[in-house]
Amino acid sequence: MASPKYRLFSVDDHIIEPPNVWIDRVPSKYGDLIPHVIEEDGRQYWVWEGNKIPQMGLNAVAGKPQEEWNTEPVRFSDMIPGCYDPVERAKDMRSDGILASVCFPTLAGFGGRVLNNFSDKELASLLVRAYNDFILEEWCAAAPDLFVPMIIGQLWDPEAMAAEIRRCAELGARALTFPEGPVSLGLPSFFSDYWDPIFRACEETEVVVCMHIGSSGELTNPAPDGHFIIPIALGNLNAQAAMVTFAMSPIPRKFPNIKLAISEGGVGWIAAALERADRQFKKHRLHQHMDDLLPSEVWRRNIWGCMIDEPIGLKSRYDIGVDKILWECDYPHCDSTWPHSQKLVHEFLGELPEEEITAITHGNAEKLFRWKIGVGAV
Amino acid sequence: MASPKYRLFSVDDHIIEPPNVWIDRVPSKYGDLIPHVIEEDGRQYWVWEGNKIPQMGLNAVAGKPQEEWNTEPVRFSDMIPGCYDPVERAKDMRSDGILASVCFPTLAGFGGRVLNNFSDKELASLLVRAYNDFILEEWCAAAPDLFVPMIIGQLWDPEAMAAEIRRCAELGARALTFPEGPVSLGLPSFFSDYWDPIFRACEETEVVVCMHIGSSGELTNPAPDGHFIIPIALGNLNAQAAMVTFAMSPIPRKFPNIKLAISEGGVGWIAAALERADRQFKKHRLHQHMDDLLPSEVWRRNIWGCMIDEPIGLKSRYDIGVDKILWECDYPHCDSTWPHSQKLVHEFLGELPEEEITAITHGNAEKLFRWKIGVGAV
């Protein structure tokens, strides 16, 4: 195979957790409380602590024809192995010129919210560590030059989560997934000091905080009786809400070196969102006794956005900052460019100046995640 | 005074209803159920059917120094008369070169939602008619060349509302205010046929349906303990949610000549929102058995956006369509350009080609509302 033209760093892909993630790593005394897979009526189910879900891989449609996209897989064998097998995933990635990949969890929730719902928090903490060990020892170890380690944490216990971030950072973790709307999960907002230990740990270890749209468990749906694509088409609303709230919050003020990456939010809305936020900030900061650190300044210093393919959005790149734009593949979801990433990237980026192509396809992500494409951690 | 350089058509201003709107027009047998103003402890209150609110003019800060913006007026005398007096309002508008103005209600809710909450729907219907009569006979009559009549309707009774739209259209109404998120109000979504009589009446009478952000009674607030400006900075989320939902819904398919104006949403997000919505629509329309009318085509045919001053957003005007962009003053709210509209418009539009300035400042709105600036209804 000819070597692919574009060297791609995908900052947003998804692991479909294989059945052994937790049962291999959590003491067996917890028995059926541990997430595990059972067979029943010719289907497979994930089962844990009073829950049973028939859905083996949320929107894991990679490699399927579009006509089958509305059928969720009910067995692992309904998916291509790259969904859950890191060796196969790495082959799929490389075959499409994707040489670095940050992977979010699925069963655990994009931001780890599912484990937050366990009533036994001691077990939940073991499950968090087990997931992170799976990532570090099994998933990423299968292709250490390619898989950028992303971990989850104990959202219900910021001190324990900070310790877990430090433990994993020592072992090579480069990213933490964190819910983009914690209030929706019954957790404190970005304005609370509850989260300080976590952001302090991320700042000190240079671990990038990644907020994926929908990790709050909610998307905007103004018509529950309408097409299911409406909340997806409105997914950037979660991204803007998280970005603007974070940029006005105390977090980047207390932790000026914190790095936040917003995942699957697209980029076309960013310049307008910053213009709108700056306008409100300037109008009201005096009578609200706010400081003079504009949302757009926090953006430039602390936040990155990413996109799949967005030719119109990309026109605003000089207002966003070319150095703040990352690329994502979104394997194995239906928005994914895989296995046509080279073609699609060429169509929407090919005409840009060489240095912009380099920055967006991998250069910006390399700096952000301290990772050299084709090499690994640096 | 020198005649102002820019002839401005504002598609979004706000009436602070004067105390007599309803008591002058609804049979006195309804007594204290009718919205009326009382004096108590040196303040004024609006009182109706079990409600008492101490807030005389939501965010009516026109003419006040910024330091006082966080104090809501508790008496009519806390506001400049232009807030509630149409003769004074017309003077204020003209002094700033604003020669046409569409005004939304305040007490009734931007989209009339407050009247929807009345338990006595017969009274509520009388209140709707009274408001509309006030608009047609009193507010707009004070400057018939300047005030573009906007009415409200009986959201709980689409047939009655359709009849009211037709009655008022005969009397000159050019616009209807309608909540941008009816589901939040406990009403059916745009995918329901519940609303058909209303949209049919608007299509037939060419009355423009105006959806103001927040008219659903909700704004996005990811940090209830954070700055109050966050939901305002995120106001465009409501606009995008309404626009995308409408564009995918049956309404523009059943009523291909319907005209929808989205108010106070800004414009910088529109091109990216359409790109994202089109992408989802194209990906899923086959297996979801949708037609091939793209959201961006509905936009071009049926929807208009508006902005206050938004230099960055305006850069995307060729992707939005210069003919789809309207201007608003937002008098008397704190986002208003008044009394500096000429200066601000010059700063952010002055460099554009002449025909674009004409279109955005008034030409597009003239066509949409069938209204000639400086003359009135055409």
Side-chain angles (χ1 to χ4, degrees), chain A residues 189 225 279 283 309 334, chain B residues 189 225 240 279 283 309 334:
Chain A
S189 87
D225 52 343
R279 177 188 168 90
K283 281 215 170 214
D309 61 316
C334 58
Chain B
S189 87
D225 52 343
Q240 183 180 340
R279 176 187 169 91
K283 281 216 171 212
D309 61 318
C334 58

Side-chain angles (χ1 to χ4, degrees), chain A residues 66 189 222 225 228 236 240 245 265 275-276 279-280 283 288 308-313 315 319 334-335, chain B residues 66 189 222 225 228 236 240 245 265 275-276 279-280 283 288 308-313 315 319 334-335:
Chain A
Q66 277 198 13
S189 87
D225 52 343
F228 81 95
N236 66 300
Q240 184 180 338
T245 308
E275 176 166 53
R276 189 168 182 117
R279 177 188 168 90
Q280 293 301 328
K283 281 215 170 214
Q288 290 291 303
I308 298 180
D309 61 316
E310 213 181 318
I312 292 176
K315 291 185 190 179
D319 288 313
C334 58
D335 269 340
Chain B
Q66 278 198 12
S189 87
D225 52 343
F228 82 95
N236 66 300
Q240 183 180 340
T245 307
E275 176 166 53
R276 190 169 180 115
R279 176 187 169 91
Q280 293 300 328
K283 281 216 171 212
Q288 290 292 304
I308 298 178
D309 61 318
E310 212 181 320
I312 291 175
K315 292 185 188 178
D319 288 312
C334 58
D335 269 340

Side-chain angles (χ1 to χ4, degrees), chain A residues 59 66-70 180-183 188-192 213 220-230 232-238 240-242 244-245 248-249 264-269 271-273 275-277 279-290 308-315 319 333-337, chain B residues 59 66-70 180-183 188-192 213 220-230 232-238 240-242 244-245 248-249 264-269 271-273 275-277 279-290 308-315 319 333-337:
Chain A
N59 191 226
Q66 277 198 13
E67 299 75 50
E68 291 175 23
W69 280 6
N70 55 347
E180 98 284 37
V183 173
S189 87
F190 298 153
F191 278 75
S192 163
I213 59 167
T220 301
N221 191 358
D225 52 343
H227 300 313
F228 81 95
I229 61 171
I230 292 175
I232 305 173
L234 297 175
N236 66 300
L237 273 52
N238 288 43
Q240 184 180 338
V244 169
T245 308
M248 293 197 187
S249 81
E264 206 163 336
V267 299
W269 54 273
E275 176 166 53
R276 189 168 182 117
R279 177 188 168 90
Q280 293 301 328
F281 201 87
K282 286 182 204 163
K283 281 215 170 214
H284 297 284
R285 71 176 191 80
L286 282 181
H287 70 83
Q288 290 291 303
H289 313 295
M290 283 141 58
I308 298 180
D309 61 316
E310 213 181 318
I312 292 176
L314 202 57
K315 291 185 190 179
D319 288 313
H333 290 176
C334 58
D335 269 340
S336 182
T337 55
Chain B
N59 190 228
Q66 278 198 12
E67 299 76 50
E68 290 174 26
W69 281 6
N70 56 347
E180 99 283 38
V183 172
S189 87
F190 297 153
F191 277 75
S192 161
I213 59 167
T220 301
N221 191 357
D225 52 343
H227 301 313
F228 82 95
I229 60 170
I230 291 175
I232 306 172
L234 297 175
N236 66 300
L237 273 50
N238 287 43
Q240 183 180 340
V244 169
T245 307
M248 291 197 187
S249 81
E264 208 164 333
V267 300
W269 55 273
E275 176 166 53
R276 190 169 180 115
R279 176 187 169 91
Q280 293 300 328
F281 201 87
K282 286 182 203 163
K283 281 216 171 212
H284 296 282
R285 69 175 192 79
L286 282 180
H287 71 84
Q288 290 292 304
H289 312 297
M290 283 141 59
I308 298 178
D309 61 318
E310 212 181 320
I312 291 175
L314 203 57
K315 292 185 188 178
D319 288 312
H333 290 179
C334 58
D335 269 340
S336 182
T337 55

Side-chain angles (χ1 to χ4, degrees), chain B residues 14-263:
Chain B
H14 297 269
I15 296 173
I16 307 300
E17 294 92 338
N20 71 316
V21 169
W22 291 284
I23 50 172
D24 275 6
R25 292 176 176 84
V26 174
S28 56
K29 69 169 181 174
Y30 287 102
D32 285 350
L33 297 177
I34 304 170
H36 60 288
V37 174
I38 63 163
E39 292 272 350
E40 209 175 275
D41 307 326
R43 309 177 63 152
Q44 290 174 317
Y45 296 85
W46 271 107
V47 177
W48 72 92
E49 207 195 46
N51 292 277
K52 177 177 169 186
I53 62 162
Q55 203 270 91
M56 288 294 99
L58 175 68
N59 190 228
V61 300
K64 288 192 191 181
Q66 278 198 12
E67 299 76 50
E68 290 174 26
W69 281 6
N70 56 347
T71 319
E72 294 283 0
V74 298
R75 306 186 58 82
F76 279 94
S77 56
D78 291 339
M79 299 173 245
I80 61 173
C83 292
Y84 51 83
D85 177 331
V87 175
E88 293 301 318
R89 171 71 65 96
K91 282 186 206 163
D92 287 348
M93 295 278 103
R94 290 195 173 103
S95 73
D96 206 20
I98 301 165
L99 306 180
S101 166
V102 178
C103 297
F104 287 79
T106 299
L107 190 77
F110 292 168
R113 73 182 164 82
V114 173
L115 302 184
N116 186 57
N117 292 336
F118 268 72
S119 56
D120 182 342
K121 295 302 188 200
E122 191 175 285
L123 169 58
S125 197
L126 292 172
L127 296 171
V128 164
R129 291 173 62 104
Y131 180 86
N132 293 340
D133 288 341
F134 160 75
I135 288 295
L136 294 161
E137 296 165 3
E138 192 169 323
W139 186 268
C140 296
D145 59 317
L146 192 148
F147 291 122
V148 183
M150 162 176 273
I151 59 165
I152 61 175
Q154 300 93 325
L155 299 169
W156 59 91
D157 184 348
E159 290 292 355
M161 185 160 165
E164 178 67 1
I165 292 165
R166 292 178 205 278
R167 177 181 83 87
C168 295
E170 283 284 324
L171 298 169
R174 286 290 188 269
L176 169 76
T177 176
F178 190 89
E180 99 283 38
V183 172
S184 306
L185 301 176
L187 293 165
S189 87
F190 297 153
F191 277 75
S192 161
D193 56 12
Y194 174 88
W195 301 111
D196 285 1
I198 293 164
F199 288 105
R200 185 174 296 115
C202 287
E203 186 185 50
E204 287 175 14
T205 57
E206 298 182 66
V207 163
V208 180
V209 180
C210 296
M211 295 190 190
H212 193 291
I213 59 167
S215 53
S216 59
E218 285 189 1
L219 287 171
T220 301
N221 191 357
D225 52 343
H227 301 313
F228 82 95
I229 60 170
I230 291 175
I232 306 172
L234 297 175
N236 66 300
L237 273 50
N238 287 43
Q240 183 180 340
M243 186 269 269
V244 169
T245 307
F246 180 89
M248 291 197 187
S249 81
I251 296 169
R253 291 163 169 82
K254 292 185 207 168
F255 309 108
N257 297 310
I258 196 78
K259 298 174 192 176
L260 172 65
I262 299 188
S263 308

Side-chain angles (χ1 to χ4, degrees), chain A residues 37-86:
Chain A
V37 174
I38 62 164
E39 291 273 348
E40 207 176 278
D41 309 325
R43 308 177 63 151
Q44 290 174 317
Y45 295 85
W46 271 107
V47 176
W48 73 91
E49 205 193 50
N51 292 275
K52 177 178 169 186
I53 62 161
Q55 203 270 90
M56 290 293 99
L58 175 69
N59 191 226
V61 301
K64 288 193 191 179
Q66 277 198 13
E67 299 75 50
E68 291 175 23
W69 280 6
N70 55 347
T71 320
E72 294 282 0
V74 298
R75 306 186 59 80
F76 278 93
S77 57
D78 291 340
M79 300 174 243
I80 60 174
C83 291
Y84 51 84
D85 177 333

Side-chain angles (χ1 to χ4, degrees), chain A residues 23-257:
Chain A
I23 50 171
D24 276 7
R25 292 176 177 83
V26 174
S28 57
K29 70 168 180 175
Y30 287 102
D32 285 352
L33 297 176
I34 304 169
H36 60 288
V37 174
I38 62 164
E39 291 273 348
E40 207 176 278
D41 309 325
R43 308 177 63 151
Q44 290 174 317
Y45 295 85
W46 271 107
V47 176
W48 73 91
E49 205 193 50
N51 292 275
K52 177 178 169 186
I53 62 161
Q55 203 270 90
M56 290 293 99
L58 175 69
N59 191 226
V61 301
K64 288 193 191 179
Q66 277 198 13
E67 299 75 50
E68 291 175 23
W69 280 6
N70 55 347
T71 320
E72 294 282 0
V74 298
R75 306 186 59 80
F76 278 93
S77 57
D78 291 340
M79 300 174 243
I80 60 174
C83 291
Y84 51 84
D85 177 333
V87 175
E88 294 300 319
R89 172 70 67 95
K91 282 186 206 163
D92 287 349
M93 295 279 101
R94 290 196 174 103
S95 72
D96 207 20
I98 301 164
L99 306 179
S101 166
V102 178
C103 296
F104 287 79
T106 298
L107 189 77
F110 293 168
R113 73 184 163 83
V114 173
L115 303 184
N116 186 57
N117 292 336
F118 269 70
S119 55
D120 182 342
K121 296 301 188 200
E122 192 176 282
L123 169 58
S125 198
L126 292 172
L127 296 170
V128 164
R129 290 174 61 104
Y131 179 86
N132 293 339
D133 288 341
F134 159 75
I135 288 295
L136 294 161
E137 296 164 4
E138 192 171 324
W139 186 269
C140 296
D145 59 316
L146 192 148
F147 292 122
V148 183
M150 163 176 273
I151 59 165
I152 60 177
Q154 301 94 326
L155 299 170
W156 59 91
D157 184 346
E159 289 293 354
M161 184 161 166
E164 178 66 2
I165 292 165
R166 293 178 206 277
R167 177 183 83 88
C168 294
E170 284 282 323
L171 298 169
R174 285 291 187 271
L176 168 76
T177 176
F178 190 89
E180 98 284 37
V183 173
S184 306
L185 302 177
L187 293 165
S189 87
F190 298 153
F191 278 75
S192 163
D193 55 13
Y194 174 87
W195 301 111
D196 285 1
I198 293 165
F199 288 105
R200 185 174 298 116
C202 286
E203 186 186 49
E204 287 176 13
T205 59
E206 299 183 68
V207 163
V208 180
V209 180
C210 296
M211 295 188 189
H212 193 291
I213 59 167
S215 52
S216 60
E218 286 190 1
L219 288 171
T220 301
N221 191 358
D225 52 343
H227 300 313
F228 81 95
I229 61 171
I230 292 175
I232 305 173
L234 297 175
N236 66 300
L237 273 52
N238 288 43
Q240 184 180 338
M243 186 269 269
V244 169
T245 308
F246 180 89
M248 293 197 187
S249 81
I251 297 171
R253 292 164 169 81
K254 292 184 209 169
F255 309 108
N257 296 309

